[in-house]
Amino acid sequence: MKPFHSYQNPSLAVDLVVFGYHENTLSVLLLNRKEEPFKDQWVLPGAFVQMQETFQDSCSRVLQTKLGMDKLYLEQLYTFDAPERDPRGRAIAVAYYALVNPSKFEIVAGTMANDVQWFDIHKIPALGFDHKEIFTTACQRLRSKILYFPVGFELLNDLFTMTELHELYECILGISIDRRNFRRKILDAEFIINTGKKREGLQNRHPELYKFNQKLKQNNFQLNI
Amino acid sequence: MKPFHSYQNPSLAVDLVVFGYHENTLSVLLLNRKEEPFKDQWVLPGAFVQMQETFQDSCSRVLQTKLGMDKLYLEQLYTFDAPERDPRGRAIAVAYYALVNPSKFEIVAGTMANDVQWFDIHKIPALGFDHKEIFTTACQRLRSKILYFPVGFELLNDLFTMTELHELYECILGISIDRRNFRRKILDAEFIINTGKKREGLQNRHPELYKFNQKLKQNNFQLNI
DNA sequence: CTACTTTGCGTCAAAATAACGCAAACAAAA
DNA sequence: TTTTGTTTGCGTTATTTTGACGCAAAGTAG
């Protein structure tokens, strides 16, 4: 499918903010550039959009070829168009963010090339292009989205404890939330379902295991935390 | 500023959802197409993005040349990339929405070409391309944004009455809101400022005139209506 | 058996909300 | 002038929601 336009169009790329949650830390995946411009600097992974593919296709291609990942939760963030954002010429970036669940986090961390690395979102180095701005936008989106969409479940395993969910929210929102009030609000909103199972192991009291309530993908709700 | 890419890039356009509020009705500006495809059908106004201009520039160009409007409040909505969205070939659309205040609404309505027309958002005809989807996205954005950003003021005159603001909210949200509770919440949030002036005229009791509180452009707030 | 930690559930005062009542301010009719 | 009807501004009250805690059961470790 060719472009039907006679004159030239700007270059079009997708850039990805890949979030992972591991050991009570929210991290982002960065790539160390091997070419100019911004050689040896850290940047967000990305790729040019091919003529026939959708943005989601482009994102999947980046995730698979550059990062060795399966399909993840993906959501479009914003499209960045500042004329000087790429020193090589006019380039539009459609930013997406992705969420990696903990099981994949470790696999990825183990097999990653040394030019790919997880960074704690509070310890991000200087980034090339306008990627700092993209990263900041992604963090804001995640923080607001978590209050009215069960986006956090993409960052946890299928079964999780109330404490894990609680700590995830504290981590993403950057605030401390009363454990007991959090529990009440989450349960009142029918946000999650108690599976009846318990996590056995080296812990103290064995916590109950919850799962995500699928109905919430349709219904809107509002968590006032 | 040329694209630095060797292979071809998709066509890139901006599409605009222009909202106007007049006589207690929220309307959108539509254009009747004179060429194929979708000849004689209604579509959203739009234009191809020139190599050197930002999206905002492209939007302003559309608003001025096609619709004869000044600069308006503009916000990026979403970027649409379905491969078949344009039958002529691959085309990406960056959608924006714009808000027109009432004084300009009437000027525009008076001088508009007969291929441009305001439509009540509840009486939208069939639209060409994927513009129905873009329109729907814009309505949703407006509804959610009005609760945490004073976006509604762009649709009213500088000075307005509490009743006007109240009716605007009912119209956009599509629900009925208790007049007295609405007043209390708006005033508690320091959403607006009482100017002390009153609107004289043919009404009954002369209502007080309010203005938008500029401080709210920075501060976040949440209206629970 | 005794600490100590984690987890689940409950209480209660304070704040926010929804659902109204009511009278002042004005225009128009009587 | 007086009356009637409408709009506007400001309350009140019962109910719900929230925030800040207490407390004991279920575990582990000494």
Side-chain angles (χ1 to χ4, degrees):
Chain A
M1 201 175 185
K2 293 201 168 184
F4 52 96
H5 227 245
S6 51
Y7 51 83
Q8 277 199 313
N9 294 297
S11 302
L12 188 65
V14 293
D15 281 327
L16 279 168
V17 184
V18 183
F19 286 106
Y21 180 69
H22 186 66
E23 289 178 355
N24 220 347
T25 305
L26 190 64
S27 302
V28 179
L29 213 51
L30 297 179
L31 208 83
N32 203 284
R33 266 182 81 84
K34 292 278 176 284
E35 319 91 38
E36 293 293 349
F38 301 107
K39 183 164 151 64
D40 296 324
Q41 268 200 260
W42 294 97
V43 294
L44 296 172
F48 290 103
V49 176
Q50 313 283 17
M51 188 56 76
Q52 74 291 347
E53 66 183 2
T54 64
F55 296 153
Q56 293 259 352
D57 290 339
S58 311
C59 291
S60 298
R61 191 161 51 79
V62 172
L63 289 168
Q64 288 190 353
T65 62
K66 289 199 191 178
L67 311 170
M69 288 181 178
D70 288 319
K71 287 225 168 197
L72 306 174
Y73 176 88
L74 273 175
E75 184 182 318
Q76 193 188 111
L77 254 186
Y78 196 79
T79 301
F80 294 83
D81 70 329
E84 306 299 331
R85 58 177 298 282
D86 192 316
R88 292 168 294 183
R90 189 73 205 277
I92 305 298
V94 183
Y96 275 72
Y97 74 95
L99 303 177
V100 182
N101 69 11
S103 56
K104 284 177 188 162
F105 185 101
E106 299 200 60
I107 295 170
V108 171
T111 60
M112 260 177 343
N114 60 358
D115 59 342
V116 182
Q117 203 175 300
W118 287 108
F119 284 86
D120 182 334
I121 61 156
H122 299 107
K123 297 167 188 167
I124 299 291
L127 300 181
F129 303 102
D130 57 351
H131 288 187
K132 188 79 176 188
E133 188 186 349
I134 298 179
F135 163 74
T136 305
T137 306
C139 288
Q140 289 170 348
R141 174 73 65 91
L142 190 60
R143 268 197 293 273
S144 66
K145 188 105 185 177
I146 206 172
L147 297 177
Y148 65 92
F149 197 80
V151 98
F153 297 95
E154 312 285 342
L155 291 167
L156 296 175
N157 289 312
D158 289 348
L159 296 181
F160 50 86
T161 68
M162 187 62 81
T163 303
E164 286 168 348
L165 187 65
H166 176 228
E167 286 175 344
L168 174 66
Y169 270 72
E170 288 192 324
C171 181
I172 292 179
L173 294 174
I175 55 172
S176 101
I177 307 167
D178 183 274
R179 179 177 62 84
R180 291 147 293 184
N181 291 335
F182 178 81
R183 154 187 288 275
R184 179 173 37 127
K185 287 177 185 177
I186 290 284
L187 291 178
D188 281 0
E190 298 186 89
F191 200 83
I192 56 178
I193 296 171
N194 192 330
T195 62
K197 299 176 192 168
K198 294 187 185 229
R199 173 169 295 163
E200 316 285 336
L202 299 173
Q203 311 110 112
N204 297 322
R205 179 167 178 174
H206 295 171
E208 291 169 351
L209 287 169
Y210 294 89
K211 66 178 181 184
F212 162 54
N213 184 351
Q214 293 291 339
K215 281 193 293 184
L216 287 178
K217 281 191 177 171
Q218 291 93 333
N219 301 10
N220 275 22
F221 66 95
Q222 173 75 31
L223 269 182
N224 295 309
I225 292 186
Chain B
M1 202 174 184
K2 293 200 167 183
F4 52 95
H5 226 246
S6 51
Y7 51 83
Q8 277 198 313
N9 294 299
S11 302
L12 188 65
V14 292
D15 282 327
L16 279 169
V17 184
V18 183
F19 287 106
Y21 181 68
H22 186 66
E23 288 178 356
N24 219 349
T25 306
L26 190 65
S27 303
V28 181
L29 213 51
L30 298 179
L31 208 84
N32 204 285
R33 265 184 82 84
K34 293 277 174 285
E35 317 93 38
E36 293 292 350
F38 301 107
K39 184 165 151 63
D40 296 323
Q41 268 202 263
W42 294 95
V43 293
L44 297 172
F48 290 103
V49 176
Q50 313 283 17
M51 189 55 76
Q52 75 291 346
E53 65 183 3
T54 64
F55 296 153
Q56 294 259 352
D57 291 337
S58 311
C59 291
S60 298
R61 191 160 50 79
V62 173
L63 289 169
Q64 288 190 353
T65 62
K66 289 200 191 178
L67 311 171
M69 288 181 177
D70 288 319
K71 287 227 168 195
L72 306 174
Y73 176 88
L74 272 175
E75 183 182 319
Q76 194 189 111
L77 252 187
Y78 195 80
T79 301
F80 294 83
D81 69 328
E84 306 300 331
R85 58 177 298 282
D86 192 317
R88 292 168 293 183
R90 188 73 204 278
I92 306 298
V94 183
Y96 274 71
Y97 73 96
L99 304 177
V100 181
N101 69 11
S103 56
K104 284 176 189 162
F105 186 101
E106 300 201 59
I107 294 170
V108 170
T111 61
M112 262 180 338
N114 61 357
D115 59 343
V116 182
Q117 203 175 300
W118 287 109
F119 284 86
D120 183 334
I121 61 156
H122 298 106
K123 297 168 187 166
I124 299 292
L127 300 182
F129 302 102
D130 58 349
H131 287 187
K132 189 79 177 185
E133 188 185 349
I134 298 178
F135 163 74
T136 305
T137 307
C139 288
Q140 288 170 349
R141 175 73 64 89
L142 191 59
R143 269 197 291 274
S144 67
K145 188 103 183 177
I146 205 171
L147 297 177
Y148 65 90
F149 197 79
V151 98
F153 297 96
E154 313 285 342
L155 292 167
L156 295 175
N157 289 312
D158 289 348
L159 296 182
F160 50 86
T161 68
M162 186 63 80
T163 302
E164 286 168 348
L165 186 66
H166 176 227
E167 286 176 344
L168 174 65
Y169 270 73
E170 288 192 326
C171 180
I172 292 180
L173 294 174
I175 56 172
S176 98
I177 307 167
D178 183 274
R179 180 177 61 85
R180 293 146 292 186
N181 291 335
F182 177 80
R183 154 186 288 276
R184 177 171 42 89
K185 287 178 186 177
I186 290 284
L187 291 178
D188 282 359
E190 297 186 89
F191 200 83
I192 55 179
I193 297 172
N194 191 330
T195 61
K197 300 174 191 166
K198 294 188 184 226
R199 172 167 298 161
E200 316 285 336
L202 299 172
Q203 311 111 109
N204 297 320
R205 179 167 178 174
H206 296 171
E208 291 168 351
L209 288 168
Y210 294 89
K211 65 179 182 182
F212 161 54
N213 183 352
Q214 293 292 338
K215 281 193 294 184
L216 287 179
K217 280 192 177 169
Q218 290 93 334
N219 300 10
N220 276 22
F221 67 95
Q222 173 75 32
L223 268 182
N224 295 309
I225 293 184

